[in-house]
Structures are given as structure tokens and as C-alpha cells.
Amino acid sequence: MSVDLSVDVGGGLRLANPFIAASGCFGYGVEYADVVDLATLGAVAVKGLFLDEREGHPPERIVETPSGMLNAIGLQGIGVRRFVAEKLPPLRWRGAVVIVNICGSTIDEYAEVARILDDAEGVAAIELNISCPNIRKGGMAFGCSLRGTHDVVAAVRGVTRLPLIPKLTPNVTDVAAFAAAARDAGADAVSLVNTFLAMAIDVETRRPRLSNVMGGLSGPAIRPIAVRMVHECRQAVPLPIIGMGGVMNADDALEFLIAGATAVQVGTANFVDPFIWGKLVAGLTGYLERHGMAGVTEVVGSLELPARDAGSPSVAS
Amino acid sequence: MSVDLSVDVGGGLRLANPFIAASGCFGYGVEYADVVDLATLGAVAVKGLFLDEREGHPPERIVETPSGMLNAIGLQGIGVRRFVAEKLPPLRWRGAVVIVNICGSTIDEYAEVARILDDAEGVAAIELNISCPNIRKGGMAFGCSLRGTHDVVAAVRGVTRLPLIPKLTPNVTDVAAFAAAARDAGADAVSLVNTFLAMAIDVETRRPRLSNVMGGLSGPAIRPIAVRMVHECRQAVPLPIIGMGGVMNADDALEFLIAGATAVQVGTANFVDPFIWGKLVAGLTGYLERHGMAGVTEVVGSLELPARDAGSPSVAS
Amino acid sequence: MPVDVDAVVLSNTRLSSDYNVLALAAPDVAARAGPGQFVMVKPGFGDHPLLRRPFSVFEVFEDDAGRAAGLSLLNKRIGVTTRALFGLEPGAVVRCLGPLGRPFSPAAPPERAWMVAGGVGLAPFHSLAVALRARGVEATLFYGARSAGELFHLDAFRRLGVRLALATDDGSRGDHGLVTLPLERALRGLDPADPVRLYACGPTPMMRAVTDLAHAHGRRTEVSLEQVMGCGLGGCYSCVVPVRRDGGAPRFVRSCLDGPVFDGGTVVWDGLGGLPG
Amino acid sequence: MPVDVDAVVLSNTRLSSDYNVLALAAPDVAARAGPGQFVMVKPGFGDHPLLRRPFSVFEVFEDDAGRAAGLSLLNKRIGVTTRALFGLEPGAVVRCLGPLGRPFSPAAPPERAWMVAGGVGLAPFHSLAVALRARGVEATLFYGARSAGELFHLDAFRRLGVRLALATDDGSRGDHGLVTLPLERALRGLDPADPVRLYACGPTPMMRAVTDLAHAHGRRTEVSLEQVMGCGLGGCYSCVVPVRRDGGAPRFVRSCLDGPVFDGGTVVWDGLGGLPG
Ligand SMILES: Cc1cc2nc3c(=O)[nH]c(=O)nc-3n(C[C@H](O)[C@H](O)[C@H](O)COP(=O)(O)OP(=O)(O)OC[C@H]3O[C@@H](n4cnc5c(N)ncnc54)[C@H](O)[C@@H]3O)c2cc1C
Ligand SMILES: Cc1cc2nc3c(=O)[nH]c(=O)nc-3n(C[C@H](O)[C@H](O)[C@H](O)COP(=O)(O)OP(=O)(O)OC[C@H]3O[C@@H](n4cnc5c(N)ncnc54)[C@H](O)[C@@H]3O)c2cc1C
Ligand SMILES: Cc1cc2nc3c(=O)[nH]c(=O)nc-3n(C[C@H](O)[C@H](O)[C@H](O)COP(=O)(O)O)c2cc1C
Ligand SMILES: Cc1cc2nc3c(=O)[nH]c(=O)nc-3n(C[C@H](O)[C@H](O)[C@H](O)COP(=O)(O)O)c2cc1C
Ligand code: FES
Ligand code: FES
């Protein structure tokens, strides 16, 4: 195919195509090795890792909602050391570009996890999860405070030269301010959005549907809000953006690219169709060819805004 | 029917049932007089009114999204004086309980509009729209600042004894803090949520689908986030709550009531089914009877939360 | 006073790969429908798609007793709802709210009526033709489509005594080009004293061209606009059209209440908003 | 290695107002399916419902050449997807991903196999019965349902040489009460030296009771759990079951990978999470 799908998401991280498996929606990647050639994805963002193992929340952990789903997994995970020992090697020899999503209850924990990954072989980038709505300490607590965001990012920046990608929460008033804070603290890019804090109630039992009461909303339902937030960050902050939220097909991904995202993560859609990756590449390639574009970079941020005086009918021309 | 559907939403405002037509989704009420007996609704929240007439934004003003819709109407309206002169009388003789949704570009405008309504006959309450995402000045600008929220509410409180219901925006980090600010400033209740700032892009033209670029997301897609926000306000602030966001049927409304809302507004669903009102009353009545409840008040805030140590599997009993 | 019925699909006649006629058992709606009025339609009961969509009442058909038994929609496939309507089988249910909106004001003799349709813009004219016939008004249909294969229901209009002037983009039938070709010829040949009223429905540029053309020949045109509509009842203000009346400033009026039929001369065409696709 | 096929519905046999058997043309999935494995299913291509749902492979059927031609699902109507599957007509398409999960480990002679099914929990046992028969294992099905009208496919199991022990909540057939009634009787009558392996699928309390009962008689039970599953492939961690192995602390394991079949003795039943309805 004649078009160039490769993108540069900052910090020297170049991807063969802009499609990345979203963290927490692709296990540790190895689970999908039978289904898809991991090397054909732009990258794989693995499930969020703390320093130690975590059991996460009891069931029910997910519930479907209109055009979306809530999850409260609680970041069950094997811890960064076991990940490095057990998962990184198979990911490497399968040729996966591995982005490691890291969490912490304290700034020191974030830094410690990052340090361990910095020493490891085969980590392409670190995605800093300061936006998980499903844990009591850390996570969103950092992501909802500009100061907290700056401090975590700066601390991790201090211990690693790996491309650093803070993942922003949408549960804030002004997401662009957080992108700016992340940049000032040394981030190479930002990824957004994580899930929206939400809840569902079983009206017959009058109990929450999730054991954790609240969970994170993902899926097509949130796409219009996520696209808006990517647009806002693009307008405000000169920093590569990895956009996500409800991408189900190539056209959805194009909304994010046109709004200003350099790459796109896909989470919930992978549950519906684990074979989506080839379809996304084919769809994007077809679009670029149809529109006579040489590569993805031409479409990134190509949104055409109307003349700003289009506000009154008398001049609505 | 044996059950009592009436609710008291604060400031002495008592409604025959908890179902209120959401502002901007029911015109000025009179448009629906052929379709539904306005007196059978708990109340009618009319379209947001400024002091003067407004033309609003040019088309496209709406676009459908997964389980939702974006709108950027731009608060086209006839202004408060024409409303009082032309719309209030027919609403009154039809027996509608009228909640007037008011907007302003300045605090003085809010106060002036409120003063005019305070002098008018047949206004049951004022809903203070400090959360409209679709206007450049005022609206959400106030609703996104605690200080702004407090000042607008206090100013309007100063000029009217009508029940005062600030309508909160969901586009903030901590909605409960805004409910508290509204209460401190003298609000009788709060209503939430207004729409989520969002956007949709036509990938073929690479232009925004709305003439205003951004619009507000409503409909079932947002319900889980809205329910969460109502729950948060209920937990934090002892103030009656009018909940809304994606209510399509009685079960959806019950989610809000169980989470702590005293009444529920219905917007987008009225577009889909203008005859929804009788179905909501029937559905709620059936539920209360089936659950042996004497009235709506029994279900309000009846959410049962799990023991808080349900966090680890070892004790997940 | 509109009603909402769960209308059973009586038949679905595919006219082409994109067009079909869907016959619905909706007597209460059909009985009330005036020429050019519309219904808000939703296939089935799910939330996908969420909102209803507006469709002109195409034909009103009667039972043996001569009572209105139902109505049909002329549907063109362009998106999720129209795709669903194209695929429905008899027995399926379509929620149908109506009749809605301001109808055409039918001409009266000695006036003659010229209907100008582009593509699916034919939809509101069958009911108008019936009304004109009832009033003994001599009617002509100027009808343009992409090709001969997309000129539908010509016999039905002939049976109503409607003269036909056709045009196709590919010249496979009638004039080779836009429907404004035969229209302009006819306008030129018209005696200024001859009372003719025009009606137009089709793509916005076409309705605008017809209005201007007619105006240039001192004639007025009633246009039936197709704005996106969220509710059809005046509740949402999504469907507005900028209208300039008696020289005043343009005002946004709701096309579901004040329209969909407007005096073409009052429409501020540049402010209609561009629909993609 | 699972495959995803757009399987055409070959037949939809309604067994009652709530139960149906859906035959799907999915040879590639059927050929690979082991006893007790499941598929992730989605009716049609829309986003409503959004996620797939897990279903046991009920029957695997073959073409005249004896090659696997497809599989069937035993479906019980409880929500949006199962409602849709109940209503599908032949020709409709069901997206079907599988086979997935750990199958039952079939007994081997001289062991005998006792299968204990409650309601729709019958689903995984047809394929198990076929496997047992192939190995010459003597099998009994303990099967409980609400009433005689909801005891399905008895002849099919008989044809596979399976003995039946039935129970109904209303006593309209077999024991009056839970399926644990005939099971307990059988366990009591059992010679401790007699090698019998148990398999259970049904409502959680029933599987727990069977496990405990069997344990009290020194027998192990393989249970097939029905956790809510978001992906079926190990990607989402939604489907976890708390399992205690060799006396250690309970650990959440993914039932789509480590299950859905578990040694009942290792399951921490209280931590399974209560599903409403
Ligand atoms: C008063 C009135 C009468 C109408 N009568 C008919 C009729 O008789 N037959 C018929 O086939 N159609 C008619 N239409 C147009 C019809 O309403 C649209 O085609 C329909 O809403 C598209 O819905 P959809 O879900 O298929 O497309 P969507 O999936 O909603 O949209 C698909 C694409 O079509 C565009 N689109 C949406 N609405 C329109 C529109 N009104 N015009 C042009 N493009 C649009 C969207 O921007 C989008 O790009 C009428 C419209 C109005 C306002
Ligand atoms: C491995 C496995 C095999 C299964 N095999 C079969 C089978 O062969 N036949 C069959 O009919 N079903 C089977 N199930 C159960 C089936 O997956 C659920 O009934 C289905 O997911 C419900 O989807 P829905 O969209 O109809 O219900 P939803 O609309 O999603 O939910 C409706 C209600 O049912 C509840 N619910 C959701 N999932 C379950 C569940 N797993 N068990 C009990 N209640 C639930 C929800 O909490 C909700 O209250 C199996 C489940 C698993 C995990
Ligand atoms: C089940 C589930 C688990 C998730 N776990 C994580 C996680 O561990 N770390 C993280 O940063 N995001 C996590 N997310 C958020 C996703 O990475 C993504 O930001 C979000 O789902 C929006 O994208 P989507 O709509 O394509 O799913 C999770 C999402 C889901 C649905
Ligand atoms: C077309 C449209 C217009 C609206 N106009 C207003 C308005 O004028 N004032 C206001 O406070 N809210 C307005 N809203 C927000 C609704 O009142 C409501 O808060 C929101 O739509 C969520 O409820 P829903 O999901 O039931 O529609 C509008 C919503 C829509 C869809
Ligand atoms: S369609 Fe809603 S006001 Fe016209
Ligand atoms: S269902 Fe997703 S991990 Fe098991």
C-alpha cells in the first residue's frame, strides 16, 4: 500500500501505525498472541502495574450500559517485577512494541516502578496512569490535581529516559490545563481519555451493579466527550496526543486523528472484536488513499474550523 | 392508585409526581399542549431565558451520537418579558407547574431576569442555568467556578423568594462542591446534570458536525455518569436534588431516585416519545406497588451500599 | 393534533438499490394528513438509532369503505434509519408520529400548479397532486433524478392528471441536466398574466435555484425544506430556518412548526447550514 | 486457537416461552470445541448490545461426511442478548468467537460420570456426554428444572446411553424439589470404593451445594461457573473467580482462561459476587 501509516508519538517513539491496544483491555498482550500478530499493532499498552501484586475488586467488575460499559477491576495485577520476568520476554520475541501502564499509591511507588522498567529490556514507553477511577489511593487522586500531576510526572521523569506518556483523566474541569502541567513536568506526550467515573444501580435490589459501587465508563457513549477533550488539548498545548474513547472502527479513529491525536488507543472495541486491528489498518489506509493523502500525518489535526463569526443568522453565510 | 407520587423538592415546592420536563427539551410547554395534559406532569421546566431575545446558533444544531445526541442551540429564545406576557398565561390556565430556566451573561442579568419573574404570576420556581455549554459568555463560566456559582446564586437569592434551583454542570471535577456552594448561597435545591461538553467530526469533510463546533451531550449515554454525580451530591450535601441525564423509562428514573434524587427531569426521551409522561407515572406506580412502598419518598435515597471492606477477595463474603 | 401509532409495515416495495416505498397501517395519522405534512418515524423500539426522523407523507391510501387506512413513505437510503426502513419486512413495526408541520397551500382554479421535484423531493407531491386534483387545479410535475431508473411513480401522477416534465443528470430520460432546464423553458413560454403557483422540494441548491428562477419570472415558490429535526413538535429548536419577512432582519424559525413549507422568497438560503453527504 | 465466524442461523427451535436451541453454521468453531467449552456471541453487527455474551457449546453436529458442520446453543431468555437470540430467524447472522476456556476433564473407565444440571446449566453436558460415550464411560444425568415442561432433550441424552435422574421444583416430574435430592440419595447408596466423578452446572447455590454434598461423600466435583464476561480471552479481568489452591490465600483467577470449569473444592463461593435476577 502506498500510504505511510507510521507516526511519531514523541520522545523518539515511532509506531508502524497509529493503533494501540488500550491498557487494561488487552491483558498483558500475550493473551492475544493466538488471535493477532502482536507485531502488527502500532503498540500494546499493557494492563496497569503497581510495584506489587494486587487482587483487585470482587465481582461484579463490569456492567454494560447504553453504548458503553462500566468497569471496576481494581487494577488486579502481577506487579512490575513479575511482569518484567514473565511477560516482557514473550512480548519481545513476538515483536510487540510495549507501552507499560504504571500506577502507584505514592509518588515514590510510581518512581520505583518506572526505575525497574527503565532497567528492563524491551519497554518502548511508560504510560503514567494518574487517572484510574477504581482505586482508593493514588491514581485519579494525582490526576485530578494540577500539582499532583506535575509532581508525579516530574518524579518519574527524573528516573527514566523512556518516552513518558501521562494518561489524563476526563473527570476534570479543564483537561488542557493538565496536559500543560504534564508537559511542563517533562512529559513526551499525553494520552486521553481514561474512563469517566460512573455508576449503575439495580433498581430491583436497590444495590449498585458493581461491587466497588462506582466504575469507569468506556465505549462509544463517551466518544464525543473524548474527541472534544483531545481537540482542547491540541488547541492549548504543543504536545503529541494519543487519543481514545469509544473507537469502534476506522472512522471513529479518524475523528480523533482529525481532532489532533497522533495515535489512537482502542480498548472496549477489542472486547467486541479481537480481530479489529487489521480492519482498522485497512480502513485508515482506504481513507488516506481515497483522500489522496500520502500518510497519517497529513490527517492529524486537519480539523477545519468555521469562521468564528458564524454565530448569528444574519451573517450565516 | 394507592401510592403517593407527590414529592417536595424544597423551597415549599410540592409536585404531584416527580417527573419534570427538562429545560430546552419541551419548548415553552405550550408546544406540547396538544399532545399531553400539561397538568399531569410534575412540572415543566421551560427553555432557558435571557433578559432579551436571542437568535441562537445557525444549523446544524444537533447531531445524533451513540445512545445520545449533541446540541448547540445557543439558547435561542424570546426573552423573559415576552415569555411572561405570551407564554405564562396559557401555561397557567392549563394548570402547568412552571419552572423557569434562566440564563445571563452577567450576574446583574441573572438578577434582573429573576426580579421580573418574581413579579410575575404563575412561576413555581426558578432554575438557574449556570451550566449551559453552548454560550460564550455566562452560563458554564459561572457553573465551573465555585466562586461564580456562589455569587450568582446569592445575587438571585437576594431578589426573589421563589424556590431557587441552580442547575449544575457535569463538566467539573467535583460536582458535590458546587452543590455545597449553591446551598451556602441560599439555593433550595439543585438540579443536575446539564449536558457534557462534546463534539463530533464529519471525517469526510473534516469539519465539526455542529455549526458551533462543540455542543452538549445528552441521552442514555451519559446516564451512568449522571447517576454517579447525583449519588455524590446526596452523600455530601443535605439538599433536595433533581436528577437527570438519559432517563428513557421508569427504571432509569428509579436509578436517580434510589441514588438520592427527589425528582427527575426528562429531556431527550421526550423527543423520542412525547407521550412518555403517562408511561413514567404508570411505571413508577407499578414499581412502588410491587415493592410495597406507600410513596415515592420511600425510594428516594434508598440505595444500599455494600460493607466497605468488601474490597479484598479473602473477605469477600 | 398529532397521534403516535405503532404502525405495522404492510408492504415494502424496493424501487431501486436506494429507494423504497414503505406502506404503513396508520389510519389515524393518514386520516389527518394534509399535503406536504410529515411524520416522525422510528423503526422498532430500541434506542438505536435514538431519535426519530422526519419523513413526508407520500401516499395516503384508503380501505374499501373509502376511509383512510394508512400511508406510505418514499424512503431514500442515506444513513442508519433510512437503511433500516429500506430493509424492513411486512409485519415489522414502525413508530409513526404525526401528521406534523404546515402543509402546502394548494392552488385554486384558475391558478395552475407547477410542482418541482428533485430526487426524493418527490415525496410530498403525491399528496399535493391529490389535493390539487380534488380542487380541479391543472398540475404539472417537473421531476429530476440521477437517471431514468430513478424516476418513480410516473404513472401514479399521470393517473392523477398531472403533466410530466422530466430531466436526468445522465440524460437517460427527459432533459439532460437539472430539472431547472425544463422549468426555465416553461417559465419563458409563460404569459405573465397566466396565474401559476410553484412548489419545490429537493436538494437545497435546487430549491434555491427554483425560487430564484421563479422570482425572476415574477412567480412565488413554496419550498419544502429538509432540516435535521430532533422532535418535530417545536420542543428542541434544532430545525430552524433563517427567514426574512417584510424586509426585517433574518429570524430563525422552527421548520417543524412554521414549516417545513416556506415561501421560498423569505428563506435566507445561505443560513440553512450545510449537511454533509 | 479461537476463530471468529459470522455464523448463519440454521434453525431456531423454541422449547418453551423462555428456552430455545439455536443451530449455527460454524464448522471451524465446532470442529475445535471440547466438552464444556464456550463461545462469545453477538447477534448481528450493531453496537446494541455492545459486548458479546458467553454461551456453552451445546451440541456439535456433523454433515453427511461426518465433518463438524456447526454447533447449537441452548439459550435462556433473561436479558437483551438472550432475548435477541430467542427471536432470531433462520438466515440471521450471529457473530461467534470460540471455542474458549478450559473444557471438562472427562472421566475414564472404570470411573463413572455423574452430571448434575440445573435449568440452563444443562448446556455444557451434551458435549460432555458425547465425549464420555466415546470413552465408554457410564454416565448419569441428574437434572433439575422448574417443571416437567422445562426438562429438555431427555431423549438425546438417553440416546447417548445416559441414565436420567430428574427433579422439578413443582414436582410435576421426578423428585419434588431440588436436583440435590436424587443426587444425595445416589451418593448415600454409593460404595465408597466405587469411582465416580461429578460435574455440575447451574445456579451458583446449586453448584455449591453439589460440591459440598459430593465432598461430604469424599467426591470431587468439576463445576462450570457462569461469571459475567467482557471479552472471553483474558483481556479484561471481569470474569474472575476467587480460588483457594493448596491452602493458600484466595486468588482471583480469570474464568475465561482458567475456567469456566473449576474444581469445586477450590472455589471460594462467597466471593463469586451475586448476580441480580
Ligand atoms: C420535513 C422532512 C421531510 C422529509 N421527507 C423525507 C422523505 O419523504 N423521504 C426520505 O427519504 N427522506 C426524507 N427526509 C430526509 C430524512 O429525514 C433524512 O434522510 C433522515 O433523517 C436521515 O436519517 P438517517 O438515520 O438515515 O441518516 P443519519 O444516519 O442520521 O445521517 C446520515 C447522513 O445524512 C445526513 N443527513 C441527516 N439528515 C439529513 C437530511 N434531512 N437531509 C440530508 N442529509 C441528511 C447526516 O448529516 C449524515 O451525514 C425529510 C426530512 C424532513 C425534514
Ligand atoms: C461460560 C458461560 C457459559 C454460559 N452458557 C450459557 C448457555 O449455554 N445458555 C445460556 O442461556 N446462558 C449461558 N450463560 C449465561 C449467559 O452468558 C447470560 O445469560 C447472558 O450473558 C445474559 O446476557 P443478556 O444480554 O441476555 O442479559 P443482560 O441484559 O446482560 O443482563 C440481564 C440480567 O441478567 C443478569 N446476568 C448477566 N449475566 C448473567 C449470568 N452469566 N448469569 C446470571 N445472570 C446474569 C444481569 O446482571 C442482569 O440483571 C453462560 C455464561 C458463561 C459465563
Ligand atoms: C476493563 C477495563 C480495564 C481498564 N484498565 C485500565 C488500566 O489498567 N489502566 C489504564 O490506564 N486504563 C484502563 N482502562 C481504560 C482504557 O485504557 C481506556 O482509557 C478507556 O477504556 C477508553 O477507551 P475505550 O472506550 O476504547 O475502551 C480500562 C478500561 C476497561 C474497559
Ligand atoms: C436540545 C436541547 C436543549 C437544551 N436546552 C437547555 C436549556 O435551555 N437550559 C438548560 O438548563 N438545559 C438545557 N438542556 C439540557 C437538558 O435540560 C438536560 O439537562 C440534558 O439534556 C440531560 O437530560 P436528558 O439526557 O434527559 O436530555 C438542553 C438539552 C437539549 C437536548
Ligand atoms: S424539530 Fe424540534 S423544534 Fe423543530
Ligand atoms: S472475560 Fe475478559 S478476562 Fe475473562
Side-chain angles (χ1 to χ4, degrees):
Chain A
M1 44 200 205
S2 57
V3 298
D4 176 11
L5 295 188
S6 69
V7 293
D8 187 335
V9 293
L13 178 59
R14 188 154 196 87
L15 308 179
N17 68 63
F19 301 115
I20 303 169
S23 178
C25 304
F26 207 67
Y28 295 112
V30 289
E31 292 89 341
Y32 284 83
D34 295 354
V35 178
V36 51
D37 175 354
L38 300 180
T40 62
L41 275 64
V44 171
V46 298
K47 180 146 188 58
L49 289 163
F50 283 81
L51 190 56
D52 302 320
E53 302 193 20
R54 284 172 64 97
E55 283 303 325
H57 300 311
E60 303 306 311
R61 288 179 166 191
I62 65 166
V63 58
E64 184 161 330
T65 63
S67 297
M69 66 178 284
L70 305 186
N71 87 84
I73 307 301
L75 286 165
Q76 174 174 356
I78 60 176
V80 67
R81 292 190 192 82
R82 276 188 60 200
F83 171 78
V84 169
E86 301 168 20
K87 309 295 179 185
L88 260 185
L91 287 169
R92 281 178 61 201
W93 70 254
R94 284 202 164 81
V97 176
V98 180
I99 297 174
V100 183
N101 183 273
I102 72 169
C103 315
S105 306
T106 64
I107 291 187
D108 291 346
E109 184 175 8
Y110 276 103
E112 179 58 21
V113 174
R115 213 176 279 110
I116 292 167
L117 291 169
D118 193 68
D119 298 338
E121 280 294 313
V123 176
I126 290 177
E127 183 175 55
L128 207 57
N129 181 0
I130 51 174
S131 45
C132 179
N134 294 327
I135 52 176
R136 264 172 260 167
K137 283 206 271 72
M140 219 170 79
F142 291 107
C144 289
S145 134
L146 286 172
R147 180 61 190 276
T149 297
H150 182 282
D151 293 351
V152 181
V153 175
V156 173
R157 175 79 296 170
V159 301
T160 180
R161 251 180 273 80
L162 286 169
L164 182 56
I165 308 166
K167 183 168 178 177
L168 306 181
T169 174
N171 300 292
V172 295
T173 310
D174 178 11
V175 71
F178 286 82
R183 178 167 175 273
D184 299 343
D188 298 301
V190 289
S191 61
L192 63 150
V193 297
N194 207 317
T195 54
F196 290 77
L197 191 59
M199 96 190 252
I201 297 170
D202 184 299
V203 298
E204 290 306 316
T205 62
R206 291 187 285 279
R207 294 219 187 84
R209 286 189 176 273
L210 296 173
S211 73
N212 188 51
V213 181
M214 295 187 193
L217 177 62
S218 64
I222 67 171
R223 193 172 64 242
I225 316 178
V227 169
R228 182 263 298 181
M229 290 182 166
V230 166
H231 173 69
E232 286 177 337
C233 289
R234 168 78 175 197
Q235 301 283 310
V237 186
L239 192 68
I241 298 165
I242 299 173
M244 78 197 84
V247 171
M248 302 300 287
N249 53 50
D251 278 359
D252 298 344
L254 277 158
E255 274 198 76
F256 282 93
L257 296 171
I258 292 165
T262 303
V264 172
Q265 290 190 21
V266 177
T268 301
N270 175 68
F271 300 153
V272 180
D273 181 6
F275 296 90
I276 191 174
W277 307 102
K279 299 168 191 173
L280 291 170
V281 167
L284 177 59
T285 304
Y287 177 91
L288 295 173
E289 284 169 352
R290 204 164 69 254
H291 289 259
M293 295 178 167
V296 175
T297 47
E298 278 187 56
V299 83
V300 170
S302 61
L303 180 68
E304 238 183 77
L305 292 171
R308 211 52 187 95
D309 61 2
S312 100
S314 42
V315 294
S317 53
Chain B
M1 45 199 201
S2 56
V3 299
D4 176 10
L5 294 189
S6 70
V7 293
D8 187 335
V9 294
L13 178 58
R14 187 156 196 86
L15 309 178
N17 68 60
F19 301 114
I20 303 169
S23 177
C25 304
F26 207 67
Y28 295 112
V30 290
E31 291 90 339
Y32 284 83
D34 294 354
V35 177
V36 51
D37 175 356
L38 300 180
T40 62
L41 274 65
V44 171
V46 298
K47 180 146 188 57
L49 289 163
F50 283 81
L51 191 55
D52 302 319
E53 303 193 20
R54 284 172 62 97
E55 283 302 324
H57 300 310
E60 303 307 311
R61 286 178 166 191
I62 65 167
V63 58
E64 183 162 333
T65 62
S67 296
M69 65 179 283
L70 305 186
N71 89 84
I73 307 302
L75 287 165
Q76 173 174 356
I78 60 175
V80 67
R81 293 193 189 81
R82 275 188 61 197
F83 171 78
V84 168
E86 301 169 22
K87 309 295 181 186
L88 261 185
L91 287 168
R92 282 178 58 202
W93 71 255
R94 285 201 161 83
V97 175
V98 180
I99 298 175
V100 182
N101 181 273
I102 72 170
C103 315
S105 306
T106 64
I107 290 186
D108 292 348
E109 182 174 9
Y110 276 103
E112 180 57 21
V113 174
R115 210 176 280 111
I116 291 167
L117 291 169
D118 193 67
D119 297 339
E121 280 293 312
V123 177
I126 291 177
E127 183 173 55
L128 208 56
N129 181 1
I130 51 174
S131 45
C132 180
N134 295 328
I135 53 177
R136 264 171 259 167
K137 283 205 272 75
M140 218 168 82
F142 291 108
C144 288
S145 132
L146 286 170
R147 181 59 190 277
T149 297
H150 182 282
D151 294 351
V152 181
V153 175
V156 173
R157 176 79 297 171
V159 300
T160 180
R161 253 181 271 80
L162 287 168
L164 182 57
I165 309 166
K167 183 168 180 177
L168 306 180
T169 175
N171 301 294
V172 295
T173 310
D174 178 10
V175 70
F178 287 82
R183 177 166 175 275
D184 299 344
D188 298 299
V190 288
S191 61
L192 63 150
V193 298
N194 207 317
T195 54
F196 290 76
L197 191 59
M199 100 190 248
I201 296 170
D202 183 297
V203 299
E204 289 307 316
T205 62
R206 290 187 286 279
R207 293 217 188 87
R209 285 188 174 275
L210 296 172
S211 73
N212 188 52
V213 180
M214 295 187 194
L217 178 63
S218 64
I222 67 170
R223 192 173 64 242
I225 316 179
V227 169
R228 181 263 297 182
M229 290 181 168
V230 166
H231 172 69
E232 286 177 337
C233 290
R234 168 78 175 198
Q235 301 283 310
V237 186
L239 192 67
I241 298 165
I242 299 174
M244 76 196 87
V247 171
M248 302 299 286
N249 54 50
D251 278 358
D252 298 344
L254 276 157
E255 274 199 76
F256 282 94
L257 296 171
I258 293 166
T262 303
V264 173
Q265 291 191 22
V266 178
T268 302
N270 176 67
F271 300 152
V272 180
D273 181 7
F275 296 92
I276 192 174
W277 307 102
K279 299 168 190 172
L280 291 169
V281 167
L284 177 59
T285 304
Y287 177 92
L288 295 173
E289 286 170 351
R290 204 164 68 252
H291 289 259
M293 295 178 168
V296 175
T297 46
E298 280 188 55
V299 84
V300 171
S302 61
L303 180 67
E304 238 184 76
L305 291 173
R308 211 53 188 94
D309 64 1
S312 98
S314 41
V315 295
S317 53
Chain C
M1 178 164 136
V3 294
D4 188 22
V5 297
D6 299 337
V8 172
V9 174
L10 301 173
S11 69
N12 180 358
T13 315
R14 274 113 187 163
L15 306 174
S16 74
S17 58
D18 288 340
Y19 285 84
N20 65 307
V21 172
L22 205 62
L24 303 174
D28 301 356
V29 181
R32 295 176 165 80
Q37 284 194 293
F38 69 96
V39 288
M40 291 295 286
V41 159
K42 188 167 159 61
F45 296 92
D47 289 349
H48 261 235
L50 181 63
L51 299 172
R52 296 184 186 227
R53 301 291 194 271
F55 289 82
S56 302
V57 173
F58 182 42
E59 306 148 302
V60 167
F61 48 85
E62 304 176 334
D63 59 21
D64 309 344
R67 281 182 311 259
L71 56 84
S72 71
L73 309 177
L74 175 64
N75 176 63
K76 181 185 181 186
R77 201 146 61 120
I78 69 162
V80 46
T81 301
T82 48
R83 236 187 340 263
L85 294 177
F86 188 87
L88 288 181
E89 295 305 328
V93 170
V94 173
R95 299 171 71 182
C96 182
L97 170 71
L100 302 167
R102 237 185 84 233
F104 288 117
S105 40
E111 271 184 321
R112 288 187 291 146
W114 289 5
M115 301 176 280
V116 190
V120 74
L122 179 72
F125 289 132
H126 188 275
S127 57
L128 178 58
V130 170
L132 293 169
R133 196 220 189 124
R135 303 167 137 237
V137 175
E138 193 184 312
T140 305
L141 174 68
F142 298 80
Y143 183 14
R146 282 180 289 193
S147 69
E150 291 196 348
L151 290 166
F152 308 115
H153 277 234
L154 301 181
D155 292 343
F157 280 92
R158 278 204 203 84
R159 265 185 259 107
L160 290 166
V162 177
R163 290 218 196 79
L164 298 179
L166 308 176
T168 53
D169 300 349
D170 64 1
S172 52
R173 179 138 184 212
D175 279 293
H176 187 163
L178 302 175
V179 67
T180 42
L181 248 64
L183 176 64
E184 179 156 27
R185 216 185 303 115
L187 281 166
R188 284 228 199 71
L190 199 59
D191 168 350
D194 189 344
V196 169
R197 215 192 247 252
L198 283 84
Y199 305 89
C201 186
T204 301
M206 170 267 201
M207 289 189 277
R208 180 179 194 166
V210 170
T211 302
D212 295 347
L213 207 55
H215 182 76
H217 291 80
R219 313 280 174 174
R220 304 192 130 223
T221 309
E222 286 186 21
V223 294
S224 180
L225 301 179
E226 296 197 351
Q227 297 299 87
V228 170
M229 289 184 174
C231 72
L233 287 169
C236 72
Y237 281 78
S238 67
C239 60
V240 292
V241 170
V243 161
R244 179 183 278 111
R245 286 181 180 140
D246 32 71
R251 284 296 166 84
F252 280 131
V253 302
R254 290 167 288 184
S255 58
C256 64
L257 294 183
D258 287 3
V261 174
F262 291 91
D263 172 350
T266 67
V267 174
V268 182
W269 294 97
D270 288 330
L272 274 181
L275 275 164
Chain D
M1 180 165 134
V3 294
D4 188 22
V5 298
D6 299 338
V8 172
V9 174
L10 300 173
S11 69
N12 178 358
T13 314
R14 278 134 189 141
L15 305 174
S16 74
S17 58
D18 288 339
Y19 284 83
N20 65 307
V21 172
L22 206 61
L24 303 175
D28 301 354
V29 181
R32 295 174 167 79
Q37 284 194 292
F38 68 96
V39 288
M40 291 296 285
V41 160
K42 189 169 161 57
F45 297 92
D47 289 349
H48 234 46
L50 180 64
L51 299 172
R52 298 185 186 226
R53 301 290 195 272
F55 288 81
S56 302
V57 173
F58 183 41
E59 305 147 303
V60 168
F61 48 86
E62 303 174 335
D63 58 21
D64 309 344
R67 281 183 310 260
L71 56 86
S72 72
L73 309 176
L74 175 63
N75 176 64
K76 181 185 182 187
R77 203 146 60 122
I78 70 163
V80 46
T81 302
T82 48
R83 230 180 353 256
L85 294 177
F86 188 87
L88 288 181
E89 296 304 330
V93 170
V94 172
R95 299 170 71 182
C96 181
L97 171 71
L100 302 167
R102 235 185 84 234
F104 288 117
S105 41
E111 274 184 319
R112 289 189 290 145
W114 289 5
M115 302 176 278
V116 189
V120 73
L122 180 71
F125 289 133
H126 189 275
S127 56
L128 177 59
V130 170
L132 292 168
R133 187 207 202 137
R135 305 166 136 238
V137 174
E138 193 185 312
T140 305
L141 174 68
F142 297 81
Y143 182 14
R146 283 180 290 194
S147 70
E150 291 196 349
L151 289 167
F152 307 115
H153 277 234
L154 301 181
D155 292 343
F157 280 92
R158 279 204 201 86
R159 263 182 259 108
L160 290 166
V162 176
R163 292 219 194 80
L164 299 178
L166 307 175
T168 53
D169 300 349
D170 64 2
S172 54
R173 179 134 185 217
D175 279 294
H176 187 165
L178 302 175
V179 67
T180 42
L181 247 64
L183 177 65
E184 180 155 26
R185 216 184 304 118
L187 282 166
R188 282 225 203 72
L190 200 58
D191 170 348
D194 191 346
V196 169
R197 217 193 247 248
L198 283 85
Y199 305 88
C201 186
T204 302
M206 170 268 199
M207 289 190 277
R208 179 179 194 165
V210 170
T211 303
D212 296 346
L213 207 54
H215 182 76
H217 291 78
R219 313 278 173 177
R220 304 192 131 223
T221 308
E222 286 185 23
V223 295
S224 180
L225 302 179
E226 295 198 352
Q227 297 298 86
V228 170
M229 291 185 173
C231 72
L233 288 170
C236 73
Y237 282 77
S238 68
C239 60
V240 293
V241 170
V243 162
R244 179 182 279 111
R245 287 180 178 141
D246 32 70
R251 283 298 165 84
F252 280 131
V253 302
R254 289 166 290 184
S255 58
C256 63
L257 294 183
D258 288 2
V261 174
F262 291 91
D263 171 349
T266 66
V267 174
V268 181
W269 295 97
D270 287 331
L272 273 181
L275 274 164

